[in-house]
Amino acid sequence: QVQLQESGPGLVKPSQTLSLTCTVSGGSISSGSYYWSWIRQPAGKGLEWIGRVYTSGSTNYNPSLKSRVTISVDTSKNQFSLKLSSVTAADTAVYYCARDRGSQGDYFAYWGQGTLVTVSS
Amino acid sequence: DIVMTQSPDSLAVSLGERATINCKSSQSVLYSSSNKNYLAWYQQKPGQPPKLLIYWASTREYGVPDRFSGSGSGTDFTLTISSLQAEDVAVYYCQQYYSTPLTFGGGTKVEIK
């Protein structure tokens, strides 16, 4: 059973870059054909898909964030990561990493527990 | 982008009664070649990540109680909880995976009346 765990700083200053890592256990990130996604949720609000990286390393980003987002995969560490630049208070949210079910569908079958990132000076 | 609109924003249902949540997409999420609707439903309880309930609009995820069911096609979808239990108190989200950006509905909060 695949498990995902987010990690990274809980506090980021405005204008800086938010960096998070998702560590995958219970299977190799490079096996199978899956999309590994980042999703965020501001307190009391809904879910926003940030983007995803495929097992091969190709990426798709939400156009609303595309200019500021980089998602990459590190197969040697069984991790994938998120970088969001030029953050503001509006980027304060719980950030989740998630995986789909590959050829069986791009819905999110596996989720991390989430990590709260606050943007504040 | 495909906009997902859920209704109502919240609803209160008595224990054992039916709860119905609607989700409408701004364009069809039915892929004609496969005749599948690229629509999923999730349940989120406070402090927890969303949990997958339904995919392909009507396929129940393994381990999800059969009181949860999904229906609909094209642009209009429904999640039904046939007999509400106390543990079903949560926020429910629909999501389309027909095209990127993947998008979610705004959520429907289900409470006990």
Side-chain angles (χ1 to χ4, degrees), chain A residues 20-112:
Chain A
L20 296 175
T21 297
C22 183
T23 300
V24 178
S25 59
S28 171
I29 200 170
S30 57
S31 67
S33 300
Y34 301 112
Y35 280 109
W36 305 86
S37 283
W38 286 98
I39 297 155
R40 70 180 183 178
Q41 184 173 38
K45 297 189 177 181
L47 298 157
E48 179 181 32
W49 178 74
I50 299 169
R52 65 187 183 184
V53 60
Y54 195 56
T55 306
S56 64
S58 64
T59 53
N60 300 116
Y61 298 133
N62 192 323
S64 66
L65 297 167
K66 187 175 183 177
S67 63
R68 299 193 291 131
V69 173
T70 302
I71 298 175
S72 59
V73 62
D74 186 338
T75 55
S76 67
K77 295 182 179 179
N78 226 35
Q79 297 174 336
F80 65 106
S81 64
L82 167 70
K83 292 188 186 301
L84 181 65
S85 64
S86 305
V87 298
T88 69
D91 296 309
T92 294
V94 174
Y95 285 75
Y96 295 101
C97 55
R99 200 207 81 181
D100 69 6
R101 211 165 248 158
S103 60
Q104 298 182 46
D106 292 354
Y107 48 88
F108 303 111
Y110 304 96
W111 294 72

Side-chain angles (χ1 to χ4, degrees), chain B:
Chain B
D1 299 7
I2 298 177
V3 177
M4 308 300 291
T5 304
Q6 286 184 233
S7 62
D9 292 336
S10 65
L11 75 161
V13 176
S14 300
L15 289 172
E17 296 300 304
R18 179 185 300 263
T20 301
I21 300 168
N22 301 301
C23 174
K24 188 175 183 67
S25 56
S26 61
Q27 64 188 75
S28 176
V29 297
L30 173 64
Y31 193 48
S32 55
S33 62
S34 64
N35 199 35
K36 286 185 172 182
N37 288 283
Y38 284 53
L39 190 285
W41 288 97
Y42 301 87
Q43 175 194 65
Q44 187 178 32
K45 297 181 179 180
Q48 297 183 19
K51 172 189 173 184
L52 177 66
L53 295 177
I54 303 280
Y55 54 94
W56 300 129
S58 61
T59 302
R60 201 177 302 114
E61 171 70 340
Y62 180 78
V64 173
D66 60 7
R67 63 180 180 272
F68 291 92
S69 64
S71 62
S73 185
T75 61
D76 292 281
F77 301 91
T78 299
L79 175 70
T80 301
I81 309 172
S82 61
S83 176
L84 191 75
Q85 304 300 303
E87 61 265 33
D88 301 334
V89 169
V91 179
Y92 293 84
Y93 295 94
C94 60
Q95 178 236 333
Q96 65 80 19
Y97 48 101
Y98 182 89
S99 65
T100 58
L102 307 178
T103 49
F104 293 86
T108 296
K109 186 175 186 178
V110 175
E111 299 173 307
I112 304 295
K113 184 187 291 183

